[in-house]
Amino acid sequence: FFWDTLLNQKILTPNRKKNLIGFSVLFSFVAFGIYMAFREDKNLVSNKKEAVGTVYETATYYQNANSVFIKFVYVLDNKQYQGQTSIISNHKYDHCSFLRKVLVGHNFPIIYDSLDFENSKILLSKKDYERYKITRPDSLNSYYHSVDSIQNQD
């Protein structure tokens, strides 16, 4: 009924209808992606276990990006898993090469979902430790200071 009324009154032409359907499908995918991210984080909090991961790469997807992606590996039950997290800065600078020098090859605490070993997060910033209620190891303070300074945290 609603579509017929719109089409009969020429409010929703066939082209606009295609655009509306396309937008609706895109919106649904984005909403589903957000839902899945929140669900994974909720599961990570509910089922968290701690382990150690090693940073093996830093990357950006375009020059002077505000986000640097940190890729890491960890081993659970003799099987290797990979994870990725991002560090977002409020200012433009080549943080990727700086973080590569500071983080790559070093071990850091991670948390993972005990029911889904692939759902993990490497703990690099102050807000990560606060979010997951874990004490930061003092032995890694110099690394944490570097990450926190990029994120403009205290």
Side-chain angles (χ1 to χ4, degrees), residues 58-60 68-69 93-101:
T58 63
T60 57
V68 176
F69 296 92
Y93 179 74
D94 183 14
H95 295 299
C96 188
S97 61
F98 171 72
L99 288 173
R100 186 177 300 119
K101 291 175 189 172

Side-chain angles (χ1 to χ4, degrees), residues 97-108:
S97 61
F98 171 72
L99 288 173
R100 186 177 300 119
K101 291 175 189 172
V102 172
L103 301 177
V104 170
H106 295 280
N107 297 327
F108 295 93

Side-chain angles (χ1 to χ4, degrees), residues 41-104:
D41 188 62
K42 182 181 176 209
N43 290 344
L44 198 53
V45 170
S46 300
N47 308 317
K48 78 177 174 220
K49 296 279 185 181
E50 294 181 48
V52 175
T54 303
V55 175
Y56 70 89
E57 184 180 350
T58 63
T60 57
Y61 291 114
Y62 56 92
Q63 190 174 6
N64 291 326
N66 285 7
S67 294
V68 176
F69 296 92
I70 310 297
K71 298 179 181 185
F72 59 97
V73 294
Y74 54 103
V75 177
L76 302 171
D77 294 336
N78 294 320
K79 184 176 177 188
Q80 183 171 314
Y81 296 89
Q82 294 183 356
Q84 177 176 293
T85 193
S86 63
I87 295 175
I88 300 172
S89 171
N90 291 333
H91 45 86
K92 292 190 186 280
Y93 179 74
D94 183 14
H95 295 299
C96 188
S97 61
F98 171 72
L99 288 173
R100 186 177 300 119
K101 291 175 189 172
V102 172
L103 301 177
V104 170

Side-chain angles (χ1 to χ4, degrees), residues 1 3 5 13 37 41 52 59 79 102 110 118 149 151:
F1 173 75
W3 289 110
T5 303
T13 64
D41 188 62
V52 175
K79 184 176 177 188
V102 172
I110 68 155
E118 292 182 0
S149 68
Q151 292 183 328

Side-chain angles (χ1 to χ4, degrees), residues 3 12 16-32:
W3 289 110
L12 192 58
R16 286 185 181 168
K17 185 176 179 181
K18 281 183 190 177
N19 290 342
L20 182 62
I21 291 170
F23 177 76
S24 298
V25 169
L26 177 65
F27 178 78
S28 297
F29 279 118
V30 170
F32 181 73

